[in-house]
Amino acid sequence: MGALRVAALELPLIVAGQASESATLAVDQEPPRDIPANASFLATVRNRADIRFPGGTLFLVAAPQRGPIMGETGGSLSTAPDESVDLLITQAQSIVGRDLPPALARACEAGLLALLSVAREREDKGAVDGDPLFRDILADIAANCRQQDYGVAQVAQRYKLNVRTLQKMFQKHGTTIREHITAARLKYAGAALLDPANAGKKVSDIAFEAGFNDIATFNRLFRRTFGRAPSAFRTEANQAAAGVARAEQADIDDIA
């Protein structure tokens, strides 16, 4: 019987995978669960995950979870059918072992991380569907986080809750309201940096538009979330897009 342990170090891991034969997966303190053969799964690993499989192949895609995590403090595992997870596995399998040019490799990486993010957002949605008030507060954060004076006190006032009650609500879901406000601002900033319409804007301008009032804090949080400085993030994305465009044009020229 094969066995594999996946350990989360500084940050929790989001792990997607598929085994060619039935397997069992234990995430953090949860009991082991059966994974059917050729079924995709998605798990949030805060400490460790133990996978046991009788044979065949096991394919995993893992990335650090840099934003807030929904759900209780224990691990989470989903084996529900999800086309975003299936597509993620298929795309990852198609590039394993290939020697890709740097720009194309970065584009592929960005695509895989985007699919993983979509799958993770669906899992988050399932965690909050049974709590309409919490869902409304998350929507309020997404809509208003760009206001620099927006914070815990403003949310509590909007929903007529005391701050402690609001904090407990987020703790129940394994996170904090400050983390969500910051994550929403970073998500906006990341998208704005990739938008060609903002090509002439300074990084600092985008940071202030996203709701940050201190550029040093923004740079530090952005690097922690995206793994690189905002300026490098923008540059690498533009280079990757240009590389894909050149590859597509080369394919067209070859056909012609």
Side-chain angles (χ1 to χ4, degrees):
M1 174 177 288
L4 176 68
R5 171 169 291 177
V6 178
L9 300 177
E10 294 182 0
L11 294 171
L13 288 175
I14 306 303
V15 179
Q18 185 182 77
S20 62
E21 299 185 23
S22 59
T24 61
L25 174 58
V27 180
D28 294 331
Q29 303 303 315
E30 291 186 355
R33 289 177 55 183
D34 293 332
I35 307 295
N38 297 314
S40 300
F41 60 85
L42 182 70
T44 301
V45 180
R46 290 173 172 83
N47 296 303
R48 73 183 194 190
D50 293 296
I51 308 171
R52 295 185 178 276
F53 49 101
T57 59
L58 173 67
F59 191 85
L60 297 177
V61 179
Q65 170 62 39
R66 298 181 183 274
I69 299 174
M70 295 286 93
E72 304 298 331
T73 55
S76 63
L77 169 64
S78 173
T79 58
D82 188 328
E83 62 270 26
S84 56
V85 179
D86 292 339
L87 184 57
L88 170 69
I89 298 296
T90 299
Q91 293 295 321
Q93 289 174 330
S94 70
I95 62 175
V96 169
R98 296 182 61 179
D99 186 13
L100 301 175
L104 188 55
R106 287 192 293 269
C108 290
E109 177 191 27
L112 293 177
L113 290 175
L115 286 170
L116 195 59
S117 176
V118 170
R120 191 64 184 86
E121 286 180 1
R122 290 191 177 188
E123 187 180 2
D124 284 349
K125 183 176 183 299
V128 303
D129 273 345
D131 191 340
L133 177 58
F134 187 64
R135 184 174 63 242
D136 290 345
I137 291 173
L138 294 185
D140 190 272
I141 291 173
N144 297 289
C145 65
R146 292 171 58 192
Q147 302 173 21
Q148 292 190 3
D149 61 350
Y150 183 84
V152 178
Q154 287 72 22
V155 177
Q157 184 177 14
R158 286 172 188 260
Y159 289 89
K160 297 180 172 58
L161 299 170
N162 65 57
V163 171
R164 183 56 185 157
T165 298
L166 185 61
Q167 290 171 335
K168 286 183 176 180
M169 180 184 296
F170 277 79
Q171 288 171 0
K172 177 183 176 183
H173 291 274
T175 184
T176 71
I177 183 171
R178 292 185 188 278
E179 285 180 335
H180 266 280
I181 293 172
T182 299
R185 287 170 171 165
L186 289 169
K187 182 177 181 179
Y188 171 85
L193 287 167
L194 297 180
D195 189 345
N198 295 324
K201 287 185 179 180
K202 298 179 180 178
V203 170
S204 58
D205 293 337
I206 290 175
F208 294 136
E209 288 179 3
F212 292 93
N213 55 22
D214 180 78
I215 190 64
T217 299
F218 168 72
N219 285 335
R220 174 174 55 81
L221 293 173
F222 193 97
R223 183 186 294 273
R224 187 177 71 183
T225 300
F226 292 94
R228 51 185 64 84
S231 56
F233 177 82
R234 171 190 264 176
T235 299
E236 290 179 6
N238 290 338
Q239 290 175 343
V244 171
R246 287 194 297 270
E248 291 177 347
Q249 184 61 51
D251 289 342
I252 293 173
D253 292 341
D254 288 343
I255 294 173

